[in-house]
């Protein structure tokens, strides 16, 4: 035969199309509205505003508490009710010179600040659909810290200076709501790590409470201990610093519940707290006969040590996991070379492409065609056989993409030159066979083809041009 015809179903899939990435079975993602997060943010903002009119407990003197609404307390604060000024500027309901009066004023304004921030971030979350989860976490954090620290301080103050514990069920209830919601949000963000973070937060609350109660219940022993070191003149500053560290420890521990990183700073924090608790315990052993303060000091030191041990274990496990991941990434993926298979494995039906093939007759200019055996040329006696024709360069057909009846998502991304190169290598196999790599099915599911190409890339890298290899890699990572 001088003129043969070639089946050009492949040619229909390699028409000239604009050299742009063609999406494969992609749909426009719907914009997340995060309605649930925005609703909860609105509820928290409403609660922060609504509690201004609900009576709960306030410290009005250094020895008593009183039930009044938050709105009434603020009104009293900025009218004739203020008896002192915090830091010489901000009005306070109690004298701020004693340490308990100073922290009473600080905790009251912390509650006021957190309530305002809850309202601000809660309203902002309503209008931030995309960032609603993160915004709700911030809103819940301020809500929980504000009411949680205030509730805890009421318990400390009432135990130390009042006749009975001030159990304010409004504050405790709001704190419980905030804690539950914040823990759920933390689990959604960091997963199981939120559990150990929450346990560390509870231990931090116990530790801070123990430090504050010890130093406030028996500050004479602490001052006597400082005197042995010749620094009794700054005893009040040191006591204020210790109580401040206790409150700050709770605030940081609450923030850490919803975070993944920060184990090393946590370990430093626990070591500092262990040193502080150890010093207080030493002063109690040497200078005090107060049994309750001594027991609580032991609790503080023990909890700080437990937290340090837990954090050290976490750091060790994290480093081991990191080393294991690096080692696994450094080891090459080895897959045994498949010998002649008995039966070809059926392709995994992940993505299916509809193939509507048709044949078109075109002049054949020479060169091997897969699946077609060419008869040997007949030569009469006395004649010399003609020299074999050189393998022609492949030139794939050009066509209008939008009129195509078949489509291959990878070949559509190639330029004319790259399509010719791909045809020579993997369709007609002019440059030799690649037995380890499956046949490329035009318009079909070729996930295994691309996977095997990169597994055995070391054997065939010199055959594949850089531009074509880059396109193959970009397409394979999308599969």
């Amino acid at each position: 035969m001088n003129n043969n015809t070639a089946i050009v179903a492949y040619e229909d899939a390699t028409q000239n199309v604009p050299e742009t990435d063609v999406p494969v079975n992609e749909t426009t993602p719907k914009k997340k509205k995060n309605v649930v997060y925005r609703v909860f943010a609105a509820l928290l903002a409403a609660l922060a505003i609504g509690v201004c009119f609900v009576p709960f407990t306030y410290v009005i003197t250094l020895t008593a508490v009183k039930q009044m609404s938050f709105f009434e307390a603020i009104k009293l604060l900025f009218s004739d009710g203020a008896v002192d000024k915090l830091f010489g500027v901000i009005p306070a309901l109690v004298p701020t010179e004693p340490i308990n009066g100073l922290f009473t004023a600080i905790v009251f304004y912390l509650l006021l600040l957190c309530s305002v921030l809850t309202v601000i971030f809660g309203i902002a979350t309503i209008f931030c659909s995309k960032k609603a989860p993160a915004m709700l976490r911030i809103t819940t954090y301020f809500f929980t810290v504000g009411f949680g620290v205030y509730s805890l301080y009421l318990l400390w103050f009432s135990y130390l200076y009042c006749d009975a514990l001030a159990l304010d069920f409004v504050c405790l209830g709001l704190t419980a709501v905030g804690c539950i919601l914040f823990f759920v949000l933390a689990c959604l963000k960091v997963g199981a790590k939120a559990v150990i973070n929450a346990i560390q937060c509870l231990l931090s609350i116990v530790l801070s409470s123990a430090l504050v109660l010890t130093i406030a219940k028996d500050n004479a022993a602490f001052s006597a201990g400082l005197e042995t070191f010749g620094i009794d003149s700054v005893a009040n500053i040191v006591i204020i610093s210790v109580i401040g560290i206790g409150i700050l420890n709770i605030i940081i521990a609450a923030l850490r519940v919803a975070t993944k990183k920060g184990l090393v700073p946590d370990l430093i924090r626990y070591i500092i707290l262990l040193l502080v608790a150890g010093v207080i315990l030493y002063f109690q052993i040497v200078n005090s006969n107060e049994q309750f303060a001594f027991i609580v000091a032991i609790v503080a030191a023990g909890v700080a040590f437990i937290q340090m041990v837990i954090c050290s274990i976490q750091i060790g496990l994290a480093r081991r996991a990191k080393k294991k991941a690096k080692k696994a990434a450094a080891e090459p993926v080895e897959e045994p070379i498949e010998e002649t298979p008995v039966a070809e494995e059926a392709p995994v039906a992940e993505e299916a492409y509809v193939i509507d093939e048709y044949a078109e007759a075109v002049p054949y200019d020479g060169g091997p065609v897969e699946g077609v055996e060419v008869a040997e040329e007949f030569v009469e006696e006395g004649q010399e056989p003609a020299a074999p024709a050189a393998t022609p360069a492949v030139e794939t057909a050009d066509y209008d993409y939008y009129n195509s009846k078949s489509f291959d998502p990878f070949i559509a991304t190639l330029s004319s030159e790259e399509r010719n190169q791909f045809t020579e290598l993997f369709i007609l196999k002019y440059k030799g066979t690649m037995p380890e790599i499956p046949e490329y099915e035009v318009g079909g599911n070729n996930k295994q083809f691309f996977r095997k190409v990169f597994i055995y890339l070391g054997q065939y890298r010199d055959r594949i041009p850089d531009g074509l290899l880059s396109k193959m890699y970009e397409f394979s990572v999308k599969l």
Side-chain angles (χ1 to χ4, degrees):
M1 295 176 61
N2 293 329
N3 293 321
N4 293 331
T5 60
I7 303 300
V8 292
Y10 166 72
E11 303 291 347
D12 291 337
T14 58
Q15 298 178 9
N16 190 23
V17 299
E19 296 182 15
T20 57
D21 293 336
V22 180
V24 183
N25 290 344
E26 291 185 356
T27 57
T28 303
K30 294 182 179 180
K31 185 178 180 180
K32 293 184 178 180
K33 295 183 179 180
N34 293 316
V35 177
V36 175
Y37 293 95
R38 295 156 72 184
V39 169
F40 273 100
L43 291 175
L44 289 180
L47 279 176
I49 297 173
V51 294
C52 292
F53 306 95
V54 177
F56 57 96
T57 306
Y58 292 93
V59 178
I60 57 170
T61 69
L62 296 182
T63 58
V65 295
K66 182 181 179 180
Q67 287 279 337
M68 68 176 70
S69 71
F70 198 43
F71 179 76
E72 291 174 344
I74 296 173
K75 184 178 178 181
L76 179 64
L77 188 67
F78 291 95
S79 60
D80 298 334
V83 299
D84 200 355
K85 289 190 176 180
L86 180 63
F87 307 122
V89 178
I90 307 173
L93 292 174
V94 294
T96 59
E97 184 176 354
I99 294 176
N100 57 346
L102 175 66
F103 280 99
T104 297
I106 290 176
V107 170
F108 176 82
Y109 278 106
L110 177 63
L111 174 60
L112 178 60
L113 176 62
C114 288
S115 298
V116 172
L117 291 175
T118 299
V119 174
I120 293 174
F121 281 100
I123 294 174
T125 305
I126 298 173
F127 302 98
C128 297
S129 58
K130 185 176 181 181
K131 299 292 184 179
M135 294 288 287
L136 179 59
R137 282 195 302 272
I138 297 173
T139 305
T140 310
Y141 172 77
F142 285 122
F143 182 87
T144 307
V145 166
F147 288 102
V149 172
Y150 189 80
S151 300
L152 197 59
Y153 184 77
L154 282 178
L155 293 175
W156 296 344
F157 185 90
S158 60
Y159 173 78
L160 292 169
Y161 306 109
C162 301
D163 296 332
L165 287 177
L167 294 175
D168 191 294
F169 294 104
V170 175
C171 283
L172 291 174
L174 293 174
T175 301
V177 169
C179 287
I180 294 172
L181 180 57
F182 191 67
F183 178 71
V184 171
L185 294 173
C187 290
L188 293 176
K189 182 186 177 186
V190 301
K193 289 184 178 180
V195 177
I196 189 65
N197 291 345
I199 293 173
Q200 289 283 52
C201 181
L202 291 175
L203 291 175
S204 294
I205 294 173
V206 173
L207 171 59
S208 296
S209 299
L211 289 177
V212 171
L213 292 176
T214 301
I215 202 169
K217 187 73 173 178
D218 193 9
N219 55 23
F222 189 78
S223 299
L226 295 177
E227 187 176 359
T228 60
F229 292 96
I231 54 175
D232 55 307
S233 59
V234 294
N236 282 346
I237 296 176
V238 176
I239 292 173
I240 290 172
S241 300
V242 172
I243 297 175
I245 289 172
I247 295 175
L248 185 62
N249 180 45
I250 295 174
I251 294 174
I252 295 174
L255 181 63
R256 285 284 292 116
V257 173
T259 56
K260 291 183 178 180
K261 299 180 180 180
L263 289 176
V264 174
D266 278 348
L267 182 60
I268 296 173
R269 175 163 56 94
Y270 299 143
I271 292 174
I272 293 174
L273 289 167
L274 179 59
L275 292 175
V276 172
V279 171
I280 294 176
L281 178 58
Y282 171 75
F283 289 164
Q284 286 293 317
I285 294 173
V286 173
N287 303 309
S288 178
N289 294 321
E290 179 69 41
Q291 186 176 4
F292 173 80
F294 176 70
I295 294 173
V296 175
I298 294 176
V299 171
V303 170
F305 179 76
I306 292 172
Q307 287 190 284
M308 187 181 68
V309 171
I310 293 175
C311 188
S312 299
I313 294 173
Q314 286 182 283
I315 292 174
L317 293 175
R319 288 180 177 175
R320 184 181 300 178
K322 190 175 181 180
K323 288 181 180 179
K324 188 178 293 185
K326 285 184 178 180
K327 185 178 179 181
E331 292 178 355
V333 179
E334 296 183 0
E335 184 168 317
I337 299 176
E338 297 179 1
E339 298 181 357
T340 305
V342 178
E344 185 179 357
E345 295 181 359
V348 181
E350 293 183 358
E351 297 180 2
Y353 305 101
V354 179
I355 308 173
D356 187 5
E357 298 183 351
Y358 68 97
E360 178 182 345
V362 298
Y364 178 70
D365 295 328
V369 178
E370 185 176 0
V372 178
E373 297 183 1
V374 182
E376 297 182 358
E377 182 181 3
F378 174 75
V379 182
E380 296 182 359
E381 294 184 3
Q383 294 183 354
E384 295 182 0
T391 301
V394 174
E395 293 292 338
T396 55
D398 294 335
Y399 67 95
D400 181 3
Y401 167 78
Y402 296 102
N403 292 329
S404 172
K405 292 187 178 181
S406 62
F407 169 67
D408 186 280
F410 168 65
I411 296 177
T413 66
L414 303 178
S415 64
S416 297
E417 181 181 359
E418 291 165 346
R419 286 196 298 273
N420 296 340
Q421 295 168 349
F422 187 80
T423 302
E424 291 180 349
L425 284 170
F426 301 107
I427 306 298
L428 300 180
K429 302 184 179 178
Y430 279 0
K431 296 187 178 181
T433 60
M434 304 178 190
E436 299 87 4
I437 301 175
E439 294 290 335
Y440 187 86
E441 182 182 354
V442 178
N445 186 341
N446 293 292
K447 183 175 181 179
Q448 289 299 320
F449 168 82
F450 285 102
R451 178 172 173 270
K452 291 299 180 66
V453 164
F454 288 99
I455 289 177
Y456 298 100
L457 182 61
Q459 300 182 37
Y460 307 113
R461 175 64 184 87
D462 56 339
R463 302 188 192 180
I464 308 174
D466 292 341
L468 177 59
L469 183 62
S470 177
K471 290 286 184 72
M472 293 175 70
Y473 176 76
E474 291 175 1
F475 184 80
S476 66
V477 297
K478 300 176 182 177
L479 294 178

